[in-house]
Amino acid sequence: MITTPEEYFAFLFQIQSQNPPKVGILPSAEKVYEIDLNSREIETPDYLSVEKDHKSETVYFKINRFFDYMDLSETVCVIQYITADNRARIYAVPFYDIVTFANEDKMVFPWVIDGGATSVAGEIQYSIRFFKLDPLGSNFVYNLNTQPAKSKVLHGMDTTTFEEDPDYIMVVDAYSQIMARIDAISKEQLYWFELY
């Protein structure tokens, strides 16, 4: 699908209108990847997720909150990426954590890796954009981009069909019958008599 510039700006304006909240919820054990705004380079993980996963991995990025005159927490952030099969997509960052690293004047934001990014295994290229659009949503009043970075979506296995194996079905059926009987017995009152 080819998107016109007008459709693209309309999409970005829709994202901007949702105005991401600022919160502080970074899990303490999570690895956080740094973005250097002077070089515009992104520290990147070796891999993002596994093929066909959907919202099961989150990658966190840390960036200077203030860059030149701009408070980036007042901008909108999107992650632009191209999958291994050459499909371009955009992920709208849902929030900024301005609390966890406030003493460093840094903020953190997540990329929840969804099925759009993991549709195929292979190399994924991405960059990060912070922007503001004019009130009409037709021009950038602020636009900051990083250099593209590369990571991978690992090969996975997503079976949607299988061959029935009569021996396996008999074992599963026998197991189900045993478990159903145990469940029924556990609901009954049991009595026993001691012979000695």
mmCIF file with all atom_site columns, all heavy atoms in Angstrom, residues 125-146:
data_model
loop_
_atom_site.group_PDB
_atom_site.id
_atom_site.type_symbol
_atom_site.label_atom_id
_atom_site.label_alt_id
_atom_site.label_comp_id
_atom_site.label_asym_id
_atom_site.label_entity_id
_atom_site.label_seq_id
_atom_site.pdbx_PDB_ins_code
_atom_site.Cartn_x
_atom_site.Cartn_y
_atom_site.Cartn_z
_atom_site.occupancy
_atom_site.B_iso_or_equiv
_atom_site.pdbx_formal_charge
_atom_site.auth_seq_id
_atom_site.auth_comp_id
_atom_site.auth_asym_id
_atom_site.auth_atom_id
_atom_site.pdbx_PDB_model_num
ATOM 1   N N   . GLN A 1 125 ? 15.062 -3.393 10.485 1.00 0.00 ? 125 GLN A N   1
ATOM 2   C CA  . GLN A 1 125 ? 15.738 -2.106 10.548 1.00 0.00 ? 125 GLN A CA  1
ATOM 3   C C   . GLN A 1 125 ? 14.754 -1.106 11.139 1.00 0.00 ? 125 GLN A C   1
ATOM 4   O O   . GLN A 1 125 ? 13.574 -1.108 10.765 1.00 0.00 ? 125 GLN A O   1
ATOM 5   C CB  . GLN A 1 125 ? 16.165 -1.688 9.145  1.00 0.00 ? 125 GLN A CB  1
ATOM 6   C CG  . GLN A 1 125 ? 16.975 -0.424 9.102  1.00 0.00 ? 125 GLN A CG  1
ATOM 7   C CD  . GLN A 1 125 ? 17.504 -0.124 7.705  1.00 0.00 ? 125 GLN A CD  1
ATOM 8   O OE1 . GLN A 1 125 ? 17.467 -0.954 6.807  1.00 0.00 ? 125 GLN A OE1 1
ATOM 9   N NE2 . GLN A 1 125 ? 17.996 1.077  7.519  1.00 0.00 ? 125 GLN A NE2 1
ATOM 10  N N   . TYR A 1 126 ? 15.230 -0.260 12.069 1.00 0.00 ? 126 TYR A N   1
ATOM 11  C CA  . TYR A 1 126 ? 14.314 0.691  12.684 1.00 0.00 ? 126 TYR A CA  1
ATOM 12  C C   . TYR A 1 126 ? 15.028 1.993  13.041 1.00 0.00 ? 126 TYR A C   1
ATOM 13  O O   . TYR A 1 126 ? 16.248 2.043  13.175 1.00 0.00 ? 126 TYR A O   1
ATOM 14  C CB  . TYR A 1 126 ? 13.655 0.092  13.930 1.00 0.00 ? 126 TYR A CB  1
ATOM 15  C CG  . TYR A 1 126 ? 14.598 -0.205 15.064 1.00 0.00 ? 126 TYR A CG  1
ATOM 16  C CD1 . TYR A 1 126 ? 14.764 0.707  16.096 1.00 0.00 ? 126 TYR A CD1 1
ATOM 17  C CD2 . TYR A 1 126 ? 15.321 -1.391 15.115 1.00 0.00 ? 126 TYR A CD2 1
ATOM 18  C CE1 . TYR A 1 126 ? 15.624 0.442  17.149 1.00 0.00 ? 126 TYR A CE1 1
ATOM 19  C CE2 . TYR A 1 126 ? 16.184 -1.657 16.163 1.00 0.00 ? 126 TYR A CE2 1
ATOM 20  C CZ  . TYR A 1 126 ? 16.335 -0.740 17.180 1.00 0.00 ? 126 TYR A CZ  1
ATOM 21  O OH  . TYR A 1 126 ? 17.183 -1.003 18.215 1.00 0.00 ? 126 TYR A OH  1
ATOM 22  N N   . SER A 1 127 ? 14.245 3.041  13.161 1.00 0.00 ? 127 SER A N   1
ATOM 23  C CA  . SER A 1 127 ? 14.739 4.329  13.648 1.00 0.00 ? 127 SER A CA  1
ATOM 24  C C   . SER A 1 127 ? 13.648 4.918  14.545 1.00 0.00 ? 127 SER A C   1
ATOM 25  O O   . SER A 1 127 ? 12.507 4.456  14.546 1.00 0.00 ? 127 SER A O   1
ATOM 26  C CB  . SER A 1 127 ? 15.076 5.276  12.496 1.00 0.00 ? 127 SER A CB  1
ATOM 27  O OG  . SER A 1 127 ? 13.900 5.651  11.814 1.00 0.00 ? 127 SER A OG  1
ATOM 28  N N   . ILE A 1 128 ? 14.025 5.952  15.281 1.00 0.00 ? 128 ILE A N   1
ATOM 29  C CA  . ILE A 1 128 ? 13.105 6.557  16.237 1.00 0.00 ? 128 ILE A CA  1
ATOM 30  C C   . ILE A 1 128 ? 12.948 8.030  15.890 1.00 0.00 ? 128 ILE A C   1
ATOM 31  O O   . ILE A 1 128 ? 13.928 8.717  15.585 1.00 0.00 ? 128 ILE A O   1
ATOM 32  C CB  . ILE A 1 128 ? 13.616 6.358  17.676 1.00 0.00 ? 128 ILE A CB  1
ATOM 33  C CG1 . ILE A 1 128 ? 13.705 4.850  17.963 1.00 0.00 ? 128 ILE A CG1 1
ATOM 34  C CG2 . ILE A 1 128 ? 12.709 7.063  18.675 1.00 0.00 ? 128 ILE A CG2 1
ATOM 35  C CD1 . ILE A 1 128 ? 14.385 4.478  19.241 1.00 0.00 ? 128 ILE A CD1 1
ATOM 36  N N   . ARG A 1 129 ? 11.698 8.490  15.925 1.00 0.00 ? 129 ARG A N   1
ATOM 37  C CA  . ARG A 1 129 ? 11.390 9.876  15.572 1.00 0.00 ? 129 ARG A CA  1
ATOM 38  C C   . ARG A 1 129 ? 10.626 10.527 16.720 1.00 0.00 ? 129 ARG A C   1
ATOM 39  O O   . ARG A 1 129 ? 9.678  9.953  17.242 1.00 0.00 ? 129 ARG A O   1
ATOM 40  C CB  . ARG A 1 129 ? 10.551 9.918  14.303 1.00 0.00 ? 129 ARG A CB  1
ATOM 41  C CG  . ARG A 1 129 ? 9.898  11.272 14.033 1.00 0.00 ? 129 ARG A CG  1
ATOM 42  C CD  . ARG A 1 129 ? 9.071  11.258 12.782 1.00 0.00 ? 129 ARG A CD  1
ATOM 43  N NE  . ARG A 1 129 ? 9.969  11.507 11.654 1.00 0.00 ? 129 ARG A NE  1
ATOM 44  C CZ  . ARG A 1 129 ? 9.595  11.469 10.395 1.00 0.00 ? 129 ARG A CZ  1
ATOM 45  N NH1 . ARG A 1 129 ? 8.364  11.145 10.072 1.00 0.00 ? 129 ARG A NH1 1
ATOM 46  N NH2 . ARG A 1 129 ? 10.466 11.721 9.437  1.00 0.00 ? 129 ARG A NH2 1
ATOM 47  N N   . PHE A 1 130 ? 11.036 11.760 17.080 1.00 0.00 ? 130 PHE A N   1
ATOM 48  C CA  . PHE A 1 130 ? 10.304 12.614 18.014 1.00 0.00 ? 130 PHE A CA  1
ATOM 49  C C   . PHE A 1 130 ? 9.806  13.797 17.200 1.00 0.00 ? 130 PHE A C   1
ATOM 50  O O   . PHE A 1 130 ? 10.590 14.424 16.488 1.00 0.00 ? 130 PHE A O   1
ATOM 51  C CB  . PHE A 1 130 ? 11.214 13.099 19.141 1.00 0.00 ? 130 PHE A CB  1
ATOM 52  C CG  . PHE A 1 130 ? 11.677 11.997 20.043 1.00 0.00 ? 130 PHE A CG  1
ATOM 53  C CD1 . PHE A 1 130 ? 12.823 11.289 19.741 1.00 0.00 ? 130 PHE A CD1 1
ATOM 54  C CD2 . PHE A 1 130 ? 10.958 11.659 21.178 1.00 0.00 ? 130 PHE A CD2 1
ATOM 55  C CE1 . PHE A 1 130 ? 13.260 10.264 20.562 1.00 0.00 ? 130 PHE A CE1 1
ATOM 56  C CE2 . PHE A 1 130 ? 11.384 10.637 22.011 1.00 0.00 ? 130 PHE A CE2 1
ATOM 57  C CZ  . PHE A 1 130 ? 12.530 9.929  21.699 1.00 0.00 ? 130 PHE A CZ  1
ATOM 58  N N   . PHE A 1 131 ? 8.521  14.115 17.322 1.00 0.00 ? 131 PHE A N   1
ATOM 59  C CA  . PHE A 1 131 ? 7.999  15.178 16.473 1.00 0.00 ? 131 PHE A CA  1
ATOM 60  C C   . PHE A 1 131 ? 6.845  15.920 17.132 1.00 0.00 ? 131 PHE A C   1
ATOM 61  O O   . PHE A 1 131 ? 6.239  15.457 18.096 1.00 0.00 ? 131 PHE A O   1
ATOM 62  C CB  . PHE A 1 131 ? 7.535  14.615 15.122 1.00 0.00 ? 131 PHE A CB  1
ATOM 63  C CG  . PHE A 1 131 ? 6.289  13.755 15.211 1.00 0.00 ? 131 PHE A CG  1
ATOM 64  C CD1 . PHE A 1 131 ? 5.032  14.304 15.058 1.00 0.00 ? 131 PHE A CD1 1
ATOM 65  C CD2 . PHE A 1 131 ? 6.397  12.394 15.455 1.00 0.00 ? 131 PHE A CD2 1
ATOM 66  C CE1 . PHE A 1 131 ? 3.897  13.517 15.142 1.00 0.00 ? 131 PHE A CE1 1
ATOM 67  C CE2 . PHE A 1 131 ? 5.266  11.595 15.535 1.00 0.00 ? 131 PHE A CE2 1
ATOM 68  C CZ  . PHE A 1 131 ? 4.011  12.159 15.383 1.00 0.00 ? 131 PHE A CZ  1
ATOM 69  N N   . LYS A 1 132 ? 6.564  17.104 16.550 1.00 0.00 ? 132 LYS A N   1
ATOM 70  C CA  . LYS A 1 132 ? 5.359  17.878 16.823 1.00 0.00 ? 132 LYS A CA  1
ATOM 71  C C   . LYS A 1 132 ? 4.865  18.378 15.484 1.00 0.00 ? 132 LYS A C   1
ATOM 72  O O   . LYS A 1 132 ? 5.668  18.788 14.632 1.00 0.00 ? 132 LYS A O   1
ATOM 73  C CB  . LYS A 1 132 ? 5.662  19.086 17.710 1.00 0.00 ? 132 LYS A CB  1
ATOM 74  C CG  . LYS A 1 132 ? 5.762  18.811 19.177 1.00 0.00 ? 132 LYS A CG  1
ATOM 75  C CD  . LYS A 1 132 ? 5.900  20.132 19.927 1.00 0.00 ? 132 LYS A CD  1
ATOM 76  C CE  . LYS A 1 132 ? 5.745  19.919 21.407 1.00 0.00 ? 132 LYS A CE  1
ATOM 77  N NZ  . LYS A 1 132 ? 5.728  21.191 22.136 1.00 0.00 ? 132 LYS A NZ  1
ATOM 78  N N   . LEU A 1 133 ? 3.557  18.348 15.301 1.00 0.00 ? 133 LEU A N   1
ATOM 79  C CA  . LEU A 1 133 ? 2.958  18.879 14.084 1.00 0.00 ? 133 LEU A CA  1
ATOM 80  C C   . LEU A 1 133 ? 2.245  20.187 14.392 1.00 0.00 ? 133 LEU A C   1
ATOM 81  O O   . LEU A 1 133 ? 1.855  20.442 15.537 1.00 0.00 ? 133 LEU A O   1
ATOM 82  C CB  . LEU A 1 133 ? 1.953  17.886 13.500 1.00 0.00 ? 133 LEU A CB  1
ATOM 83  C CG  . LEU A 1 133 ? 2.510  16.545 13.019 1.00 0.00 ? 133 LEU A CG  1
ATOM 84  C CD1 . LEU A 1 133 ? 1.370  15.633 12.580 1.00 0.00 ? 133 LEU A CD1 1
ATOM 85  C CD2 . LEU A 1 133 ? 3.498  16.743 11.884 1.00 0.00 ? 133 LEU A CD2 1
ATOM 86  N N   . ASP A 1 134 ? 2.063  21.005 13.363 1.00 0.00 ? 134 ASP A N   1
ATOM 87  C CA  . ASP A 1 134 ? 1.312  22.241 13.551 1.00 0.00 ? 134 ASP A CA  1
ATOM 88  C C   . ASP A 1 134 ? -0.147 21.912 13.882 1.00 0.00 ? 134 ASP A C   1
ATOM 89  O O   . ASP A 1 134 ? -0.571 20.760 13.744 1.00 0.00 ? 134 ASP A O   1
ATOM 90  C CB  . ASP A 1 134 ? 1.435  23.139 12.313 1.00 0.00 ? 134 ASP A CB  1
ATOM 91  C CG  . ASP A 1 134 ? 0.771  22.549 11.071 1.00 0.00 ? 134 ASP A CG  1
ATOM 92  O OD1 . ASP A 1 134 ? -0.069 21.638 11.185 1.00 0.00 ? 134 ASP A OD1 1
ATOM 93  O OD2 . ASP A 1 134 ? 1.111  22.997 9.960  1.00 0.00 ? 134 ASP A OD2 1
ATOM 94  N N   . PRO A 1 135 ? -0.930 22.900 14.338 1.00 0.00 ? 135 PRO A N   1
ATOM 95  C CA  . PRO A 1 135 ? -2.313 22.627 14.748 1.00 0.00 ? 135 PRO A CA  1
ATOM 96  C C   . PRO A 1 135 ? -3.197 22.029 13.650 1.00 0.00 ? 135 PRO A C   1
ATOM 97  O O   . PRO A 1 135 ? -4.192 21.370 13.948 1.00 0.00 ? 135 PRO A O   1
ATOM 98  C CB  . PRO A 1 135 ? -2.841 24.006 15.176 1.00 0.00 ? 135 PRO A CB  1
ATOM 99  C CG  . PRO A 1 135 ? -1.621 24.767 15.577 1.00 0.00 ? 135 PRO A CG  1
ATOM 100 C CD  . PRO A 1 135 ? -0.525 24.275 14.662 1.00 0.00 ? 135 PRO A CD  1
ATOM 101 N N   . LEU A 1 136 ? -2.824 22.226 12.401 1.00 0.00 ? 136 LEU A N   1
ATOM 102 C CA  . LEU A 1 136 ? -3.607 21.648 11.309 1.00 0.00 ? 136 LEU A CA  1
ATOM 103 C C   . LEU A 1 136 ? -3.164 20.227 10.976 1.00 0.00 ? 136 LEU A C   1
ATOM 104 O O   . LEU A 1 136 ? -3.815 19.532 10.197 1.00 0.00 ? 136 LEU A O   1
ATOM 105 C CB  . LEU A 1 136 ? -3.509 22.523 10.057 1.00 0.00 ? 136 LEU A CB  1
ATOM 106 C CG  . LEU A 1 136 ? -4.029 23.944 10.215 1.00 0.00 ? 136 LEU A CG  1
ATOM 107 C CD1 . LEU A 1 136 ? -3.780 24.746 8.948  1.00 0.00 ? 136 LEU A CD1 1
ATOM 108 C CD2 . LEU A 1 136 ? -5.510 23.931 10.573 1.00 0.00 ? 136 LEU A CD2 1
ATOM 109 N N   . GLY A 1 137 ? -2.036 19.822 11.539 1.00 0.00 ? 137 GLY A N   1
ATOM 110 C CA  . GLY A 1 137 ? -1.532 18.477 11.281 1.00 0.00 ? 137 GLY A CA  1
ATOM 111 C C   . GLY A 1 137 ? -0.945 18.302 9.899  1.00 0.00 ? 137 GLY A C   1
ATOM 112 O O   . GLY A 1 137 ? -0.928 17.190 9.372  1.00 0.00 ? 137 GLY A O   1
ATOM 113 N N   . SER A 1 138 ? -0.446 19.382 9.310  1.00 0.00 ? 138 SER A N   1
ATOM 114 C CA  . SER A 1 138 ? 0.048  19.274 7.940  1.00 0.00 ? 138 SER A CA  1
ATOM 115 C C   . SER A 1 138 ? 1.555  19.506 7.798  1.00 0.00 ? 138 SER A C   1
ATOM 116 O O   . SER A 1 138 ? 2.112  19.207 6.745  1.00 0.00 ? 138 SER A O   1
ATOM 117 C CB  . SER A 1 138 ? -0.703 20.258 7.037  1.00 0.00 ? 138 SER A CB  1
ATOM 118 O OG  . SER A 1 138 ? -0.590 21.569 7.549  1.00 0.00 ? 138 SER A OG  1
ATOM 119 N N   . ASN A 1 139 ? 2.218  20.042 8.837  1.00 0.00 ? 139 ASN A N   1
ATOM 120 C CA  . ASN A 1 139 ? 3.650  20.302 8.762  1.00 0.00 ? 139 ASN A CA  1
ATOM 121 C C   . ASN A 1 139 ? 4.302  20.031 10.113 1.00 0.00 ? 139 ASN A C   1
ATOM 122 O O   . ASN A 1 139 ? 3.676  20.202 11.159 1.00 0.00 ? 139 ASN A O   1
ATOM 123 C CB  . ASN A 1 139 ? 3.927  21.768 8.388  1.00 0.00 ? 139 ASN A CB  1
ATOM 124 C CG  . ASN A 1 139 ? 3.504  22.081 6.978  1.00 0.00 ? 139 ASN A CG  1
ATOM 125 O OD1 . ASN A 1 139 ? 3.987  21.472 6.033  1.00 0.00 ? 139 ASN A OD1 1
ATOM 126 N ND2 . ASN A 1 139 ? 2.584  23.024 6.838  1.00 0.00 ? 139 ASN A ND2 1
ATOM 127 N N   . PHE A 1 140 ? 5.576  19.632 10.064 1.00 0.00 ? 140 PHE A N   1
ATOM 128 C CA  . PHE A 1 140 ? 6.338  19.471 11.292 1.00 0.00 ? 140 PHE A CA  1
ATOM 129 C C   . PHE A 1 140 ? 6.711  20.838 11.838 1.00 0.00 ? 140 PHE A C   1
ATOM 130 O O   . PHE A 1 140 ? 7.204  21.688 11.100 1.00 0.00 ? 140 PHE A O   1
ATOM 131 C CB  . PHE A 1 140 ? 7.635  18.685 11.035 1.00 0.00 ? 140 PHE A CB  1
ATOM 132 C CG  . PHE A 1 140 ? 7.423  17.219 10.757 1.00 0.00 ? 140 PHE A CG  1
ATOM 133 C CD1 . PHE A 1 140 ? 7.631  16.695 9.488  1.00 0.00 ? 140 PHE A CD1 1
ATOM 134 C CD2 . PHE A 1 140 ? 7.030  16.355 11.774 1.00 0.00 ? 140 PHE A CD2 1
ATOM 135 C CE1 . PHE A 1 140 ? 7.457  15.349 9.237  1.00 0.00 ? 140 PHE A CE1 1
ATOM 136 C CE2 . PHE A 1 140 ? 6.859  15.008 11.538 1.00 0.00 ? 140 PHE A CE2 1
ATOM 137 C CZ  . PHE A 1 140 ? 7.071  14.504 10.265 1.00 0.00 ? 140 PHE A CZ  1
ATOM 138 N N   . VAL A 1 141 ? 6.522  21.036 13.147 1.00 0.00 ? 141 VAL A N   1
ATOM 139 C CA  . VAL A 1 141 ? 7.093  22.201 13.804 1.00 0.00 ? 141 VAL A CA  1
ATOM 140 C C   . VAL A 1 141 ? 8.337  21.774 14.575 1.00 0.00 ? 141 VAL A C   1
ATOM 141 O O   . VAL A 1 141 ? 9.154  22.599 14.963 1.00 0.00 ? 141 VAL A O   1
ATOM 142 C CB  . VAL A 1 141 ? 6.088  22.927 14.729 1.00 0.00 ? 141 VAL A CB  1
ATOM 143 C CG1 . VAL A 1 141 ? 4.969  23.540 13.913 1.00 0.00 ? 141 VAL A CG1 1
ATOM 144 C CG2 . VAL A 1 141 ? 5.551  22.016 15.794 1.00 0.00 ? 141 VAL A CG2 1
ATOM 145 N N   . TYR A 1 142 ? 8.474  20.468 14.799 1.00 0.00 ? 142 TYR A N   1
ATOM 146 C CA  . TYR A 1 142 ? 9.679  19.888 15.377 1.00 0.00 ? 142 TYR A CA  1
ATOM 147 C C   . TYR A 1 142 ? 9.789  18.470 14.858 1.00 0.00 ? 142 TYR A C   1
ATOM 148 O O   . TYR A 1 142 ? 8.780  17.757 14.760 1.00 0.00 ? 142 TYR A O   1
ATOM 149 C CB  . TYR A 1 142 ? 9.608  19.870 16.913 1.00 0.00 ? 142 TYR A CB  1
ATOM 150 C CG  . TYR A 1 142 ? 10.879 19.351 17.545 1.00 0.00 ? 142 TYR A CG  1
ATOM 151 C CD1 . TYR A 1 142 ? 11.982 20.173 17.698 1.00 0.00 ? 142 TYR A CD1 1
ATOM 152 C CD2 . TYR A 1 142 ? 10.986 18.027 17.949 1.00 0.00 ? 142 TYR A CD2 1
ATOM 153 C CE1 . TYR A 1 142 ? 13.159 19.707 18.256 1.00 0.00 ? 142 TYR A CE1 1
ATOM 154 C CE2 . TYR A 1 142 ? 12.158 17.539 18.520 1.00 0.00 ? 142 TYR A CE2 1
ATOM 155 C CZ  . TYR A 1 142 ? 13.240 18.381 18.666 1.00 0.00 ? 142 TYR A CZ  1
ATOM 156 O OH  . TYR A 1 142 ? 14.396 17.920 19.212 1.00 0.00 ? 142 TYR A OH  1
ATOM 157 N N   . ASN A 1 143 ? 11.018 18.054 14.525 1.00 0.00 ? 143 ASN A N   1
ATOM 158 C CA  . ASN A 1 143 ? 11.226 16.706 13.986 1.00 0.00 ? 143 ASN A CA  1
ATOM 159 C C   . ASN A 1 143 ? 12.665 16.292 14.258 1.00 0.00 ? 143 ASN A C   1
ATOM 160 O O   . ASN A 1 143 ? 13.592 16.937 13.790 1.00 0.00 ? 143 ASN A O   1
ATOM 161 C CB  . ASN A 1 143 ? 10.938 16.693 12.480 1.00 0.00 ? 143 ASN A CB  1
ATOM 162 C CG  . ASN A 1 143 ? 10.928 15.293 11.914 1.00 0.00 ? 143 ASN A CG  1
ATOM 163 O OD1 . ASN A 1 143 ? 10.636 14.331 12.604 1.00 0.00 ? 143 ASN A OD1 1
ATOM 164 N ND2 . ASN A 1 143 ? 11.237 15.171 10.631 1.00 0.00 ? 143 ASN A ND2 1
ATOM 165 N N   . LEU A 1 144 ? 12.852 15.234 15.058 1.00 0.00 ? 144 LEU A N   1
ATOM 166 C CA  . LEU A 1 144 ? 14.176 14.720 15.379 1.00 0.00 ? 144 LEU A CA  1
ATOM 167 C C   . LEU A 1 144 ? 14.187 13.226 15.051 1.00 0.00 ? 144 LEU A C   1
ATOM 168 O O   . LEU A 1 144 ? 13.298 12.499 15.493 1.00 0.00 ? 144 LEU A O   1
ATOM 169 C CB  . LEU A 1 144 ? 14.475 14.937 16.863 1.00 0.00 ? 144 LEU A CB  1
ATOM 170 C CG  . LEU A 1 144 ? 15.829 14.455 17.367 1.00 0.00 ? 144 LEU A CG  1
ATOM 171 C CD1 . LEU A 1 144 ? 16.297 15.374 18.496 1.00 0.00 ? 144 LEU A CD1 1
ATOM 172 C CD2 . LEU A 1 144 ? 15.796 13.037 17.872 1.00 0.00 ? 144 LEU A CD2 1
ATOM 173 N N   . ASN A 1 145 ? 15.178 12.786 14.299 1.00 0.00 ? 145 ASN A N   1
ATOM 174 C CA  . ASN A 1 145 ? 15.291 11.387 13.901 1.00 0.00 ? 145 ASN A CA  1
ATOM 175 C C   . ASN A 1 145 ? 16.625 10.806 14.346 1.00 0.00 ? 145 ASN A C   1
ATOM 176 O O   . ASN A 1 145 ? 17.635 11.505 14.382 1.00 0.00 ? 145 ASN A O   1
ATOM 177 C CB  . ASN A 1 145 ? 15.214 11.249 12.373 1.00 0.00 ? 145 ASN A CB  1
ATOM 178 C CG  . ASN A 1 145 ? 13.829 11.505 11.855 1.00 0.00 ? 145 ASN A CG  1
ATOM 179 O OD1 . ASN A 1 145 ? 12.977 10.650 11.945 1.00 0.00 ? 145 ASN A OD1 1
ATOM 180 N ND2 . ASN A 1 145 ? 13.596 12.699 11.317 1.00 0.00 ? 145 ASN A ND2 1
ATOM 181 N N   . THR A 1 146 ? 16.620 9.512  14.638 1.00 0.00 ? 146 THR A N   1
ATOM 182 C CA  . THR A 1 146 ? 17.871 8.806  14.896 1.00 0.00 ? 146 THR A CA  1
ATOM 183 C C   . THR A 1 146 ? 18.348 8.176  13.594 1.00 0.00 ? 146 THR A C   1
ATOM 184 O O   . THR A 1 146 ? 17.602 8.100  12.613 1.00 0.00 ? 146 THR A O   1
ATOM 185 C CB  . THR A 1 146 ? 17.682 7.677  15.927 1.00 0.00 ? 146 THR A CB  1
ATOM 186 O OG1 . THR A 1 146 ? 16.831 6.677  15.364 1.00 0.00 ? 146 THR A OG1 1
ATOM 187 C CG2 . THR A 1 146 ? 17.110 8.205  17.227 1.00 0.00 ? 146 THR A CG2 1
#
